[in-house]
């Protein structure tokens, strides 16, 4: 391959948009250098930007001699690019910036040339940015893409996607790197708004799930309270009529203690769920979370006469996640299964909860029910606002999916054999710490 | 409250059941308890004033469905609902269907006892009214067709003479039918007879 072609190919290394610009530049240069009445020195004199040195080096080939007009076109392409482009030497000093880049940052060209790329980089992004550039300079990478924040001259901050590539040095020219900068502030803001909405929905769905549970807990706790109240009132009445026998009192007091213990256990169980701090990522035993959620849903399970079969693999490696989020995912899936099964009559309502290692080395949980199953709906169950319930909001599974994916896992549904549905999800195991 | 009356407690929670029984017995009430609507329905109900203390949330048939089921079986035992989590639609539905009271667990014992007293009194008067109607119907059924015709015409305010014309009988014959009907109905006066027939009509309308 001839030197010229090789150098041209080198120009194609980056982001498509940039490549197009540069290929154009390269073509212009070739024409420029092809002009017979121009010496390489002459061409060099026309070019003020060091980035062109490389291309002039290409022009050492006697075939590559160009003319002045084309150089002018090349400059306009750079200047008129709608995307900000800047170039910096290996010390980080900016030595070229097009109009779009200047406008983006609010500096004039000459002001920018007094700065380094770090001066316009948001403080928190400097360390990572510097490290990436160092890798370029040291030849450990050719290019990188990095979402970072810039300071405008006014001090305002904006988000941008930086596409950076290195241009190696030659005998005549120092190496440098250049950066094609896209403003992605709007995109970032939309992303942030979406994340907030999702968090809000997750909280809301949690509240509705909790509300549903609160009703069943309220019923459950009212039972021991009723027993205690009845016993105490009966004793008071008997006492008023001097008719309370010590053995009766003894029996009643013992019953009261039992009922108080029962009530406290119910309260403790509910508190364990609602009092947790949101999103604290800790190492969790998934089996423990499963058992907590099953204890929580036991009134619902009893009422709907659902049989539970547990197939938990002992000593699974811990997963990293937020306890409340995992509880929420499990709650959603289990409550859904219960509700699906309560719609069928005449056969056993069996809920099977399984935990094991998946083939891909993740912790996997499967929840199978003997409900009516999902027919053509199976693909859309995770979509927001999808529901098969008369008063469902259709957010439960959608939120479960974003929670599982947020923890680095995956969630899916398959038909169960012979009937019903299996919802499964995986979670990556916590990173092992070596002593 | 008479000792004869019975309070039926239906609750699936054994400790609620036994303590309710203990509480109600402590004021001298006779209590029978059941763990489900089905087991209650299998019991032959005694002909004494009674009422039901019912948990809304029962396994199998829920409290509210049970209320409807009883009405369908023509059992009018007054119902007091107890619930761990009463919501408004639930209580509205229960009261509309004729519940005496809708109490939230744990309730004040006096509220429950008051409700039970009201329910038992309601059932007692219901039973008395029913007995009276049964008695009246028996009497009315002993009338001959002609006596019934005469009775209904008398009750509607027609004079003997008018009845005689309408039926094509002698006035004396009408008088005989009329006095036989009065005897059979055990009516002391015309006003008494009117009242009885009204009750009978009202009751069969209600049915």
């Amino acid at each position: 391959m001839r030197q010229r072609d090789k150098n041209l190919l080198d120009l194609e290394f980056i982001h498509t948009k940039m490549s197009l610009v540069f290929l154009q530049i390269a073509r212009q240069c070739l024409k420029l250098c092809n002009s017979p009445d121009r010496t390489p020195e002459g061409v060099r004199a026309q070019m003020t930007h060091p980035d062109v040195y490389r291309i002039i080096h290409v022009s050492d080939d006697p075939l590559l001699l160009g003319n002045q007009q084309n150089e002018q076109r090349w400059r306009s392409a750079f200047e008129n690019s709608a995307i900000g482009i800047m170039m910096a030497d290996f010390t980080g000093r900016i030595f070229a910036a097009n109009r779009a880049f200047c406008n983006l940052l609010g500096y004039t060209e000459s002001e920018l040339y007094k700065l380094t790329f770090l001066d316009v980089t948001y403080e928190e992004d400097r360390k990572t940015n510097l490290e990436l550039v160092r890798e370029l300079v040291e030849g450990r990478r050719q290019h990188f893409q990095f979402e970072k924040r810039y300071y405008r001259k006014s001090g305002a901050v904006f988000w941008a996607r930086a596409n950076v590539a290195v241009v190696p040095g030659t005998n005549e020219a120092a190496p440098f790197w250049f950066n094609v900068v896209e403003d992605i502030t709007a995109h970032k803001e939309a992303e942030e708004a979406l994340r907030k909405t999702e968090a809000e929905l997750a909280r809301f769905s949690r509240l509705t799930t909790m509300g549903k549970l609160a009703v069943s807990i309220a019923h459950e706790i009212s039972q021991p309270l009723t027993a205690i109240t009845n016993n105490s009132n009966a004793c008071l009445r008997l006492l008023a009529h001097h008719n309370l026998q010590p053995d009766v009192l003894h029996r009643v007091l013992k019953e009261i203690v039992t009922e108080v213990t029962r009530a406290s256990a119910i309260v403790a169980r509910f508190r364990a769920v609602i009092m947790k701090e949101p999103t604290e990522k800790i190492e969790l035993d998934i089996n423990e979370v499963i058992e907590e959620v099953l204890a929580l849903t036991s009134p619902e399970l009893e009422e709907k006469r659902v049989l539970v079969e547990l197939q938990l693999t002992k000593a699974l490696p811990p997963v990293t996640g937020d306890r409340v989020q995992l509880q929420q995912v499990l709650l959603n899936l289990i409550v859904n299964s219960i509700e699906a099964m309560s719609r069928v009559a005449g056969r056993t309502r069996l809920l099977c909860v399984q935990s094991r290692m998946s083939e891909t080395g993740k912790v996997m949980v499967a929840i199978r029910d003997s409900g009516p199953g999902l027919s053509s709906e199976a693909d859309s169950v995770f979509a927001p606002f999808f529901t098969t319930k008369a008063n469902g909001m259709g957010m439960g599974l959608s939120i479960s999916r974003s929670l599982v994916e947020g923890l680095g896992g995956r969630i899916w549904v398959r038909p169960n054999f012979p009937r019903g549905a299996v919802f499964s999800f995986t979670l990556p195991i916590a990173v092992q710490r070596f002593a | 409250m008479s000792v004869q009356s019975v309070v039926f407690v239906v609750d699936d929670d054994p400790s609620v059941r036994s303590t309710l029984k203990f509480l109600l017995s402590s004021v001298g009430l006779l209590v029978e308890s059941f763990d489900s609507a089905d087991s209650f329905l299998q019991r032959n109900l005694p002909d004494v004033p009674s009422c039901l203390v019912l948990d809304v949330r029962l396994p199998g048939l829920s409290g509210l469905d049970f209320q409807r089921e009883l009405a369908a079986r023509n059992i009018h035992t007054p119902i007091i609902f107890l619930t761990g989590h009463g919501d408004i639609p639930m209580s509205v539905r229960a009261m509309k269907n004729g519940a005496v009271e809708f109490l939230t667990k744990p309730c004040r014992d006096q509220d429950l006892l008051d409700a039970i007293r009201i329910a038992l009194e309601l059932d007692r008067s219901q039973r008395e009214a029913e007995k009276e109607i049964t008695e009246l119907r028996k009497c009315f059924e002993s009338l001959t067709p002609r006596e019934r015709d005469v009775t209904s015409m008398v009750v509607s305010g027609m004079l003997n003479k008018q009845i005689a014309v309408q039926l094509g009988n002698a006035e004396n014959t009408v008088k005989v039918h009329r006095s036989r009907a009065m005897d059979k109905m055990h009516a002391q006066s015309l006003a008494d007879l009117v009242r009885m027939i009204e009750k009978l009509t009202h009751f069969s309308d209600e049915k």
Side-chain angles (χ1 to χ4, degrees):
Chain A
M1 188 185 283
R2 293 200 308 174
Q3 180 67 28
R4 181 182 71 189
D5 296 327
K6 187 175 175 296
N7 282 315
L8 272 176
L9 286 173
D10 278 348
L11 292 170
E12 282 189 89
F13 41 59
I14 47 153
H15 199 272
T16 333
K17 291 175 194 164
M18 193 56 197
S19 317
L20 284 174
V21 171
F22 265 75
L23 277 177
Q24 202 180 350
I25 293 168
R27 279 191 204 109
Q28 300 291 352
C29 282
L30 285 175
K31 281 189 201 160
L32 167 91
C33 297
N34 277 332
S35 172
D37 57 353
R38 296 205 53 93
T39 61
E41 287 74 19
V43 173
R44 190 174 297 134
Q46 294 294 325
M47 304 205 169
T48 50
H49 292 297
D51 46 288
V52 190
Y53 290 174
R54 209 167 96 84
I55 295 160
I56 290 168
H57 176 66
V58 170
S59 77
D60 287 349
D61 182 330
L63 285 170
L64 305 178
L65 289 168
N67 65 43
Q68 219 167 344
Q69 281 176 341
N70 284 327
E71 195 265 341
Q72 213 43 50
R73 276 194 222 155
W74 180 89
R75 280 190 61 84
S76 347
F78 174 76
E79 276 307 322
N80 294 311
S81 162
I83 296 169
I85 306 173
M86 66 84 108
M87 303 180 187
D89 61 25
F90 273 15
T91 68
R93 195 185 56 84
I94 301 169
F95 63 77
N98 70 354
R99 204 177 306 139
F101 188 80
C102 293
N103 291 343
L104 210 51
L105 272 86
Y107 286 101
T108 63
E109 236 179 296
S110 52
E111 281 172 330
L112 276 175
Y113 297 163
K114 291 179 194 130
L115 302 172
T116 70
F117 76 99
L118 282 179
D119 295 325
V120 291
T121 300
Y122 185 66
E123 235 162 303
E124 282 177 29
D125 295 334
R126 281 181 190 164
K127 205 177 148 210
T128 323
N129 205 165
L130 186 61
E131 185 51 41
L132 286 166
V133 170
R134 183 168 294 143
E135 286 178 18
L136 280 189
V137 170
E138 290 170 5
R140 281 184 283 145
R141 60 161 80 227
Q142 295 304 303
H143 51 85
F144 65 83
Q145 195 180 67
F146 178 45
E147 284 187 5
K148 62 180 271 191
R149 284 157 289 184
Y150 280 96
Y151 280 124
R152 288 205 167 91
K153 190 183 175 186
S154 62
V157 174
F158 71 95
W159 273 100
R161 185 178 299 119
N163 303 280
V164 180
V166 74
V167 179
T170 62
N171 293 338
E172 287 124 19
F176 65 98
W177 53 269
F178 68 94
N179 180 6
V180 180
V181 182
E182 286 170 83
D183 184 351
I184 55 165
T185 309
H187 176 74
K188 277 278 170 188
E189 276 169 1
E191 227 171 51
E192 178 64 9
L194 186 68
R195 203 192 53 72
K196 272 190 187 154
T197 316
E198 269 179 4
E200 193 57 29
L201 271 172
R203 199 183 63 84
F204 182 73
S205 120
R206 203 167 108 72
L207 284 179
T208 35
T209 318
M210 289 300 147
K212 249 188 261 169
L213 280 173
V215 169
S216 75
I217 300 276
H219 181 265
E220 240 200 312
I221 206 160
S222 70
Q223 302 291 70
L225 290 183
T226 305
I228 294 165
T229 315
N230 289 344
N231 266 339
S232 312
N233 281 327
C235 283
L236 285 172
R237 283 177 189 276
L238 291 174
L239 201 57
H241 294 94
H242 309 288
N243 198 16
L244 182 56
Q245 305 301 318
D247 58 326
V248 172
L249 181 62
H250 184 253
R251 174 182 60 80
V252 169
L253 286 176
K254 272 174 83 177
E255 275 178 24
I256 289 178
V257 171
T258 311
E259 294 302 318
V260 168
T261 315
R262 180 176 156 199
S264 322
I266 298 165
V267 172
R269 207 163 70 203
F270 196 50
R271 193 174 42 205
V273 177
I274 57 169
M275 296 307 248
K276 287 281 183 234
E277 282 292 307
T279 60
E280 38 157 9
K281 285 202 176 168
I282 50 167
E283 289 189 5
L284 290 167
D285 176 1
I286 193 74
N287 290 343
E288 220 177 271
V289 185
I290 292 174
E291 272 161 12
E292 280 162 7
V293 171
L294 282 176
L296 210 64
T297 43
S298 72
E300 197 85 7
L301 289 163
E302 268 168 42
E303 194 200 3
K304 301 274 160 60
R305 297 179 174 183
V306 173
L307 222 65
V308 179
E309 187 189 340
L310 275 182
Q311 297 177 353
L312 304 183
T313 307
K314 289 212 173 69
L316 281 173
V319 296
T320 312
D322 174 51
R323 183 180 292 270
V324 178
Q325 287 187 349
L326 282 182
Q327 280 170 338
Q328 194 184 344
V329 171
L330 282 162
L331 257 178
N332 277 333
L333 297 181
I334 291 176
V335 169
N336 276 352
S337 295
I338 296 174
E339 287 182 2
M341 286 191 284
S342 66
R343 278 179 281 160
V344 295
R347 61 173 189 251
T348 317
R349 296 170 180 175
L350 182 68
L351 176 78
C352 173
V353 184
Q354 188 189 49
S355 72
R356 63 180 175 88
M357 286 304 291
S358 77
E359 291 75 19
T360 53
K362 292 183 172 183
V363 169
M364 185 174 130
V365 177
I367 289 156
R368 32 187 104 234
D369 64 57
S370 60
L374 294 156
S375 45
S376 52
E377 311 148 336
D379 294 332
S380 36
V381 288
F382 295 104
F385 306 113
F386 175 90
T387 183
T388 59
K389 301 175 209 164
N391 52 0
M393 200 173 63
M395 289 313 294
L397 284 176
S398 155
I399 287 163
S400 298
R401 181 172 63 179
S402 47
L403 291 180
V404 168
E405 288 176 354
L407 295 172
R410 216 166 65 76
I411 187 167
W412 68 94
V413 61
R414 293 276 178 276
N416 187 27
F417 184 79
R419 55 179 67 84
V422 196
F423 281 87
S424 315
F425 64 89
T426 54
L427 290 171
I429 60 176
V431 181
Q432 297 292 315
R433 290 200 191 91
F434 295 104
Chain B
M1 265 170 236
S2 118
V3 211
Q4 263 185 315
S5 46
V6 184
V7 179
F8 298 113
V9 170
V10 185
D11 198 307
D12 63 324
D13 188 306
S15 49
V16 170
R17 239 176 13 242
S18 71
T19 56
L20 264 179
K21 194 166 180 172
F22 179 44
L23 174 68
L24 300 182
S25 320
S26 78
V27 295
L29 284 163
L30 196 67
V31 181
E32 265 189 60
S33 62
F34 304 87
D35 62 357
S36 71
D38 292 332
S39 54
F40 173 79
L41 287 172
Q42 276 159 30
R43 164 88 159 82
N44 281 323
L45 298 179
D47 185 18
V48 291
S50 50
C51 70
L52 259 166
V53 176
L54 198 59
D55 189 3
V56 173
R57 187 158 153 170
L58 288 170
L61 209 54
S62 86
L64 293 175
D65 293 337
F66 183 36
Q67 181 183 32
R68 214 172 32 210
E69 175 69 25
L70 287 175
R73 292 182 183 216
N74 212 5
I75 299 170
H76 300 288
T77 313
I79 298 174
I80 296 150
F81 277 107
L82 286 185
T83 172
H85 62 287
D87 59 20
I88 292 173
M90 200 190 273
S91 55
V92 167
R93 196 181 138 194
M95 298 307 279
K96 262 189 167 172
N97 290 330
V100 174
E101 189 58 279
F102 194 93
L103 298 170
T104 308
K105 283 181 186 175
C107 63
R108 281 184 53 212
D109 60 339
Q110 200 54 56
D111 291 346
L112 178 62
L113 294 174
D114 286 347
I116 287 176
R117 188 174 45 77
I118 292 167
L120 288 176
E121 259 161 33
L122 180 72
D123 197 42
R124 184 173 301 125
S125 57
Q126 250 176 207
R127 279 170 195 279
E128 270 167 17
E130 213 168 303
K131 223 167 267 171
E132 197 189 337
I133 295 291
T134 317
E135 208 54 43
L136 282 176
R137 183 172 298 125
K138 216 184 280 167
C139 296
F140 189 75
E141 276 162 5
S142 70
L143 301 183
T144 63
R146 185 40 55 108
E147 283 163 0
R148 285 185 205 176
D149 292 343
V150 172
T151 305
S152 56
M153 288 173 174
V154 169
V155 169
S156 73
M158 288 167 78
L159 299 171
N160 289 343
K161 202 182 282 173
Q162 294 169 313
I163 298 171
V165 171
Q166 183 138 359
L167 293 177
N169 283 117
E171 197 179 334
N172 276 338
T173 318
V174 172
K175 275 183 187 166
V176 172
H177 285 315
R178 178 171 167 166
S179 75
R180 277 205 194 127
M182 293 278 280
D183 283 348
K184 283 184 180 173
M185 293 297 290
H186 307 291
Q188 307 299 314
S189 61
L190 177 60
D192 209 11
L193 184 70
V194 170
R195 198 180 45 79
M196 286 173 178
I197 298 303
E198 253 179 10
K199 262 189 195 169
L200 270 175
T201 345
H202 180 69
F203 191 76
S204 46
D205 279 356
E206 242 184 20
K207 275 290 167 99

